[in-house]
Amino acid sequence: MKVELENVKPMDIEKRSFEIITEELGDKKLLPGTELIVKRCIHTSADFDYAENLCFSEHAVEQAITAIKNGACIVTDTQMAKSGINKRALSRYGGEVYCFMSDEDVAELARKNGTTRATASMDKAASLDKKLIFAIGNAPTALVRLYELIEEGKISPELIIGVPVGFVNVVQSKELIMEAGVPYIVARGRKGGSNIAACICNALLYMIDNRRD
């Protein structure tokens, strides 16, 4: 069987991928200001459902960009998401990326309280005296705990990226965040993942860089 391949140079593959995404989206109208984020999620996953299921609170993108410029740090619920975020770009604005899931004190707190490590890691994050963006791509319990901490007045995130993937309490936890009264970017439904959480963070960083050009 003969397969026809596109003649694309390695450095042009990403550009061509985004051209294909734009072509296949066709007349689909994306919320103004969110296009790069949606297209990066599609690029990361090859899943066009993100054009439908990504939900943004009003002014979420602008609020997140302002927070990053003012030194906000990012807290993730997996080492995978942490490793995928462009830490060098974030550091230009004074921010760092944290993941507390492997910390001994988090493991101990989870055992003591009978919770998941993701829940305990959100409690640890709440003790930080920093502007925080949360990028949750795996654990719905992290989103539930964030909602509780917000309700208790213990934390006020600059943005919550709520994109855990799975079947148990995933849909419900995302809906909670959309009612929490804080800026959010949520992938409604079951889809998401650590790679999607990281790519949304990177999309925000690239948007800032593009504005500097």
Side-chain angles (χ1 to χ4, degrees), residues 34-51:
T34 70
E35 296 92 343
L36 180 60
I37 295 171
V38 174
K39 288 179 181 180
R40 281 212 163 269
C41 287
I42 295 170
H43 179 255
T44 295
S45 62
D47 189 340
F48 280 82
D49 282 356
Y50 286 104

Side-chain angles (χ1 to χ4, degrees), residues 37 40-42 44 84-85 194-204:
I37 295 171
R40 281 212 163 269
C41 287
I42 295 170
T44 295
I85 294 170
S194 295
N195 57 337
I196 296 297
C199 97
I200 292 173
C201 293
N202 289 335
L204 292 167

Side-chain angles (χ1 to χ4, degrees), residues 39-118:
K39 288 179 181 180
R40 281 212 163 269
C41 287
I42 295 170
H43 179 255
T44 295
S45 62
D47 189 340
F48 280 82
D49 282 356
Y50 286 104
E52 301 289 344
N53 65 23
L54 271 184
C55 301
F56 300 79
S57 63
E58 190 173 8
H59 306 306
V61 173
E62 288 301 324
Q63 289 169 328
I65 286 173
T66 298
I68 290 169
K69 286 181 175 180
N70 289 331
C73 295
I74 299 173
V75 177
T76 76
D77 64 330
T78 64
Q79 297 293 343
M80 180 186 294
K82 178 182 177 181
S83 68
I85 294 170
N86 189 329
K87 289 170 280 294
R88 179 178 295 179
L90 183 63
S91 69
R92 285 202 289 266
Y93 309 100
E96 299 179 72
V97 184
Y98 298 103
C99 179
F100 301 124
M101 293 291 287
S102 302
D103 292 5
E104 289 185 13
D105 57 339
V106 166
E108 179 57 34
L109 183 62
R111 282 193 295 269
K112 178 182 175 182
N113 294 336
T115 68
T116 66
R117 287 194 182 197

